[in-house]
Amino acid sequence: MALMNVMTAFRTLRRWGRHAVAASAVVSALALCACSPKEQKPTVKPPVPVVLAKVERKTIPVQIKAIGNVESYATVAVKAQVSGEVVSVHFTEGQDVKKGDLLFAIDPRTYAAALKKAEANLSRNLVQARNARQDAERYAQLLTEGIVTQEQYEQYRTKAEAFAADVAADRAAVENAKVELSYCTIRSPLSGRTGNLAVHAGNIVKANESPPLVTINQITPVYVTFAIPEKDLAEIKHRLASGRLAVAAIIPNDQGPAEQGTISFLDNAVDAATGTIKLKGIFENKGRRLWPGQFVNVVVTLASRADAVVVPSQALQTGQSGPYLFVVKADSSVEVRPVTPGITHEGLTVIEQGVAPGETVVTDGQMRLTPSAKVTEKRPGGAGASPPEPGKHP
């Protein structure tokens, strides 16, 4: 209707030629009045859907975490101590063996013959030594009677002593031959698990030749080696001085419980290059879940902190002024609250200062929040809900 009035006025003014300027002004004023929009009311932003959680008090363990490497309790590289042909192998690769079990047999004939020869030499020299001793005793008697000279007696006494020395050498040769013959049977020096078999029956081996015939690892118990920062050394030393210090080994991608052990070794120096110190934990490993060379997550529990104020770790944000939380106030608006975080454990962070138990914090949806923004709690299905009541949280 306003537009039709403008057009009517314009046609009227055109007929009035002398009033052209006035007509233009009137038309402009009418057009502005007709086209000016109505005044809009300020819009109210809807509440931001977020996930909420309560600030709680809980007992939190004080722990040191590290990456550890499993080591066998003892490792032996089995080598031949004599040369010869391997005539038999008495185990299979990867087999568990006990201390004293027969592993290899080397052809013993050469060493058995050497032992017989040494025993024969001993027998011969025993006879000669006995005769020489009897002669020396007889000449000692003749010397006292003045029948022989001192020089003649000394000759027989020296001969007897020389044969006695030969007998001692022959005895040593016999013992050495026995030892070498015993090396023809190679037995396990410990109880453990055999590795790769490097030499099969029929091969010729040499004494102390590399690679070893087989390597045996003792895996019950085992060690787990790891390193901790130098700053934790004083606490570790204090706990070790007070008694046994427990350590747990968590196997990645294994749903089973953590293996439990105790600290058995603290290195005597800090690594200056890394600022860490090496420790070892000993684990019984009865189920053989820990395997030499395997990497595990190590957790050393130093103490437990009771009644610690905790929030979900995802609630903690970091800004230019430091860590902060979005705290929900009574009117469902949020407040940016600077906090002092402490240790973390299983998705919870200890807050040393800044919030109190019972307060509500935002754990998800912080990207859309601004100070004093209104919030509504997300339902499990993702839809929004009514603003949370202060002090009430499911």
Side-chain angles (χ1 to χ4, degrees):
M1 180 64 73
L3 183 58
M4 291 178 64
N5 292 337
V6 171
M7 297 301 295
T8 303
F10 179 73
R11 285 195 294 269
T12 303
L13 290 174
R14 285 187 62 185
R15 290 197 294 268
W16 299 345
R18 63 178 179 272
H19 301 295
V21 175
S24 299
V26 172
V27 170
S28 299
L30 291 172
L32 286 174
C33 292
C35 299
S36 61
K38 294 183 179 180
E39 228 178 274
Q40 295 183 355
K41 295 181 180 180
T43 58
V44 179
K45 293 184 178 179
V48 179
V50 294
V51 178
L52 304 177
K54 282 288 186 181
V55 181
E56 299 177 332
R57 286 191 182 274
K58 285 190 174 182
T59 299
I60 301 296
V62 180
Q63 297 176 330
I64 299 174
K65 297 182 179 181
I67 302 298
N69 183 246
V70 181
E71 296 180 358
S72 58
Y73 186 79
T75 299
V76 174
V78 179
K79 293 185 177 182
Q81 293 181 275
V82 293
S83 301
E85 179 187 352
V86 177
V87 293
S88 60
V89 177
H90 296 267
F91 69 96
T92 57
E93 294 177 314
Q95 176 184 332
D96 291 326
V97 294
K98 295 181 180 180
K99 184 176 181 179
D101 285 353
L102 180 61
L103 302 178
F104 299 93
I106 297 175
D107 187 359
R109 291 175 295 180
T110 300
Y111 302 97
L115 174 60
K116 290 180 179 180
K117 181 179 179 181
E119 290 174 339
N121 290 336
L122 174 61
S123 298
R124 180 190 60 199
N125 286 333
L126 280 172
V127 174
Q128 292 178 343
R130 184 172 59 254
N131 291 336
R133 185 174 63 254
Q134 291 173 351
D135 289 343
E137 291 174 354
R138 185 168 57 254
Y139 269 75
Q141 181 64 31
L142 293 176
L143 178 64
T144 58
E145 296 175 358
I147 300 176
V148 296
T149 63
Q150 180 70 29
E151 182 179 0
Q152 290 176 318
Y153 165 71
E154 290 295 338
Q155 289 178 352
Y156 280 95
R157 185 182 64 82
T158 302
K159 185 177 180 181
E161 292 178 353
F163 275 114
D166 288 342
V167 168
D170 289 340
R171 292 187 189 280
V174 169
E175 291 301 320
N176 183 66
K178 288 180 179 180
V179 170
E180 289 196 336
L181 180 60
S182 69
Y183 289 156
C184 292
T185 55
I186 302 176
R187 298 183 179 276
S188 177
L190 51 78
S191 297
R193 189 178 181 90
T194 60
N196 178 59
L197 177 61
V199 176
H200 296 270
N203 286 280
I204 302 297
V205 295
K206 295 182 179 179
N208 299 315
E209 186 180 29
S210 293
L213 306 181
V214 70
T215 299
I216 302 175
N217 286 332
Q218 184 176 351
I219 57 178
T220 51
V222 292
Y223 288 121
V224 174
T225 303
F226 60 99
I228 63 169
E230 181 183 356
K231 64 181 180 64
D232 297 321
L233 176 58
E235 184 67 20
I236 289 290
K237 290 170 63 179
H238 173 71
R239 299 292 175 181
L240 287 174
S242 302
R244 299 175 64 186
L245 183 56
V247 59
I250 302 171
I251 303 172
N253 303 319
D254 190 320
Q255 301 301 319
E259 291 288 314
Q260 302 297 326
T262 56
I263 299 296
S264 61
F265 168 76
L266 175 65
D267 206 352
N268 59 2
V270 175
D271 189 337
T274 61
T276 60
I277 187 165
K278 181 180 177 181
L279 292 90
K280 282 186 180 182
I282 186 169
F283 295 78
E284 291 186 10
N285 199 31
K286 291 182 178 179
R288 296 193 174 186
R289 296 175 61 218
L290 300 177
W291 214 249
Q294 182 181 23
F295 286 95
V296 294
N297 297 316
V298 177
V299 179
V300 181
T301 301
L302 302 177
S304 294
R305 181 172 175 179
D307 294 330
V309 178
V310 297
V311 298
S313 297
Q314 63 266 31
L316 195 65
Q317 303 292 302
T318 303
Q320 294 181 349
S321 301
Y324 65 91
L325 294 170
F326 282 106
V327 180
V328 181
K329 298 190 294 184
D331 60 354
S332 298
S333 64
V334 293
E335 171 192 357
V336 177
R337 186 85 59 83
V339 294
T340 303
I343 61 175
T344 61
H345 174 70
E346 295 183 352
L348 298 176
T349 298
V350 175
I351 303 300
E352 306 289 354
Q353 187 177 359
V355 293
E359 291 190 285
T360 303
V361 296
V362 178
T363 61
D364 186 37
Q366 296 98 323
M367 294 297 293
R368 299 176 59 187
L369 293 180
T370 57
S372 300
K374 297 284 186 177
V375 296
T376 181
E377 187 174 7
K378 286 183 182 179
R379 293 190 184 276
S386 58
E389 296 180 18
K392 184 177 181 181
H393 182 68

